Amino acid sequence: MSRSTESQEYRPLQPATAIASHRVLADKIGEYRKAQTAITEAARKFPGFIGTEVLSPVAGLQEEWVAIFRLESNQAMKRWLESPERRKLAAQIEECLSQPSHLQILASDDQTEPPVVMVFTHRVRSEKVNDYRAWRRKTIAAQAKSPGYLATEFFEPRGRLQDEWVDIVRYDSVDHLDTWLKSKERQELLKELALLVESVHEHRLTGLEGWFALNRRPDEAQMTPPAWKQALAVLLALYPTVMLLTILVNPLILKLSFPVQMLIGNVLSVALLTWLVMPLVSRLLRFWLAIPISGAAPGSRWRREAVGICIVSVGIALFVLVFGLVG
């Protein structure tokens, strides 16, 4: 390996976004919905998929349907756009339009630092809701002037499923986010917020949670799996990954020093977990990891928990049996 290669700092791939706008014929809306649902479901199953959203027209503000697709990298986006299944479904959509669709691709530079996300949840006092909305508008306006600020997504309470106000704030780097969090202006805003809410929770998306990018539908709440479920899911993915690498790779690197062997093994296992194994495991256990269960019937919740634990236990047992026979 050359010195220039060794000196390159690893940076994860960044997502790419495709935005398609459609002017749908009035008598073709039903067919369009069907075709759009099909292409959305196909995207969810495509390698590298992150998320999708379809926005319907809003009179006087947005005259077109808008479909947004996000994939994990520029390469994944290119493969999706060129896939035969996507082309076939896109042709069905075109038959429903009064004019050709407009497609815009937002590609990211894979060499730049990835954005950082901060999630804020607020339990707002019932009599202070209007004041809170005004505070939020004021805060977003202040953030817009802050270096590195990208966007804020906000979600209002949804009954039993979600009883808190949620803000998802994105900055282009950890340093810029920390600068805003420590700023004097934000401290003043927090003093105002304290008079409007009963509780505040802040959470930065880091660590194992990045492995649980579950394909959720637009009407599903975003849920973070409990730590013990994350640990079991990672164990289910990690054990066969390490065993396969031990069987297939170790014989090829035996002449290297032990620290170098460990480094190579760790690099390969982390890469496989991040881009191959954990996405598969998270989809397999999606019903158990991320579906909201607070409002579910006790019997349904018990069965879901039992099935999830059973899948993990049986999976690990089968791996032990298979690797025992191989060994």
Side-chain angles (χ1 to χ4, degrees), residues 284-320:
L284 172 66
L285 299 176
R286 175 179 179 274
F287 73 97
W288 181 61
L289 289 169
I291 288 183
I293 61 176
S294 58
S300 174
R301 182 178 0 181
W302 181 87
R303 285 192 296 272
R304 184 181 300 116
E305 295 296 317
V307 171
I309 294 173
C310 182
I311 290 175
V312 173
S313 302
V314 172
I316 292 174
L318 287 175
F319 285 132
V320 171

Side-chain angles (χ1 to χ4, degrees), residues 65-66 70 86 153 163 182 194 215-216 265 311:
W65 291 75
V66 178
R70 283 176 63 79
R86 185 256 170 195
E153 296 179 69
D163 60 359
K182 298 173 183 177
N215 299 348
R216 65 185 181 97
I311 290 175

Side-chain angles (χ1 to χ4, degrees), residues 62-87:
Q62 174 186 307
E63 302 302 326
E64 300 176 324
W65 291 75
V66 178
I68 304 170
F69 297 87
R70 283 176 63 79
L71 280 88
E72 67 182 6
S73 67
N74 297 338
Q75 294 77 12
M77 177 62 73
K78 185 177 180 180
R79 290 193 296 270
W80 162 245
L81 294 176
E82 295 177 351
S83 66
E85 184 175 15
R86 185 256 170 195
R87 289 179 179 274

Side-chain angles (χ1 to χ4, degrees), residues 257-303:
S257 65
F258 180 71
V260 174
Q261 292 182 40
M262 291 297 295
L263 174 62
I264 293 174
N266 286 337
V267 169
L268 291 176
S269 61
V270 169
L272 287 172
L273 284 171
T274 301
W275 289 295
L276 177 62
V277 185
M278 279 308 304
L280 293 175
V281 170
S282 66
R283 282 195 288 270
L284 172 66
L285 299 176
R286 175 179 179 274
F287 73 97
W288 181 61
L289 289 169
I291 288 183
I293 61 176
S294 58
S300 174
R301 182 178 0 181
W302 181 87
R303 285 192 296 272

Side-chain angles (χ1 to χ4, degrees), residues 13-42:
L13 297 176
Q14 294 195 44
T17 303
I19 303 175
S21 55
H22 305 136
R23 286 191 176 271
V24 182
L25 294 167
D27 60 342
K28 294 286 187 176
I29 291 179
E31 295 178 32
Y32 172 80
R33 288 180 183 273
K34 183 177 179 179
Q36 189 62 64
T37 298
I39 200 170
T40 296
E41 291 302 320

Side-chain angles (χ1 to χ4, degrees), residues 33-319:
R33 288 180 183 273
K34 183 177 179 179
Q36 189 62 64
T37 298
I39 200 170
T40 296
E41 291 302 320
R44 292 182 189 279
K45 301 173 184 177
F46 197 81
F49 170 82
I50 294 179
T52 181
E53 186 174 5
V54 179
L55 307 176
S56 57
V58 178
L61 184 63
Q62 174 186 307
E63 302 302 326
E64 300 176 324
W65 291 75
V66 178
I68 304 170
F69 297 87
R70 283 176 63 79
L71 280 88
E72 67 182 6
S73 67
N74 297 338
Q75 294 77 12
M77 177 62 73
K78 185 177 180 180
R79 290 193 296 270
W80 162 245
L81 294 176
E82 295 177 351
S83 66
E85 184 175 15
R86 185 256 170 195
R87 289 179 179 274
K88 178 182 177 181
L89 293 170
Q92 296 178 15
I93 288 177
E94 294 294 330
E95 295 176 358
C96 304
L97 308 182
S98 60
Q99 62 185 54
S101 62
H102 177 72
L103 181 65
Q104 183 177 5
I105 307 299
L106 306 180
S108 302
D109 181 358
D110 291 334
Q111 299 305 311
T112 60
E113 185 177 354
V116 61
V117 178
M118 197 82 178
V119 179
F120 302 89
T121 57
H122 303 142
R123 194 177 299 277
V124 180
R125 301 179 189 276
S126 57
E127 72 277 10
K128 296 290 185 178
V129 169
N130 290 334
D131 293 333
Y132 175 77
R133 287 195 174 102
W135 176 89
R136 173 187 269 165
R137 289 193 294 270
K138 181 179 178 180
T139 300
I140 293 175
Q143 287 177 312
K145 303 174 184 177
S146 175
Y149 172 75
L150 297 177
T152 297
E153 296 179 69
F154 46 87
F155 303 89
E156 297 192 3
R158 299 174 60 184
R160 296 178 63 187
L161 185 63
Q162 174 191 320
D163 60 359
E164 296 176 312
W165 298 68
V166 180
D167 287 357
I168 302 175
V169 181
R170 290 180 171 83
Y171 272 79
D172 64 0
S173 69
V174 173
D175 289 342
H176 280 150
L177 172 62
D178 287 339
T179 297
W180 163 252
L181 294 178
K182 298 173 183 177
S183 68
K184 182 179 179 180
E185 186 171 15
R186 181 174 184 268
Q187 302 312 309
E188 294 298 323
L189 288 166
L190 289 179
K191 292 178 183 178
E192 297 178 19
L193 177 65
L195 303 175
L196 309 177
V197 299
E198 296 175 356
S199 64
V200 176
H201 179 70
E202 301 178 2
H203 181 62
R204 186 174 298 187
L205 296 185
T206 57
L208 291 179
E209 290 158 297
W211 278 340
F212 295 90
L214 305 174
N215 299 348
R216 65 185 181 97
R217 300 180 184 276
D219 57 347
E220 291 175 347
Q222 182 173 349
M223 300 290 288
T224 300
W228 67 273
K229 288 189 178 183
Q230 293 185 40
L232 286 178
V234 172
L235 177 62
L236 178 62
L238 183 62
Y239 175 68
T241 301
V242 172
M243 287 299 298
L244 284 174
L245 289 176
T246 300
I247 295 171
L248 299 177
V249 178
N250 277 16
L252 304 178
I253 59 176
L254 283 177
K255 295 183 179 180
L256 301 176
S257 65
F258 180 71
V260 174
Q261 292 182 40
M262 291 297 295
L263 174 62
I264 293 174
N266 286 337
V267 169
L268 291 176
S269 61
V270 169
L272 287 172
L273 284 171
T274 301
W275 289 295
L276 177 62
V277 185
M278 279 308 304
L280 293 175
V281 170
S282 66
R283 282 195 288 270
L284 172 66
L285 299 176
R286 175 179 179 274
F287 73 97
W288 181 61
L289 289 169
I291 288 183
I293 61 176
S294 58
S300 174
R301 182 178 0 181
W302 181 87
R303 285 192 296 272
R304 184 181 300 116
E305 295 296 317
V307 171
I309 294 173
C310 182
I311 290 175
V312 173
S313 302
V314 172
I316 292 174
L318 287 175
F319 285 132

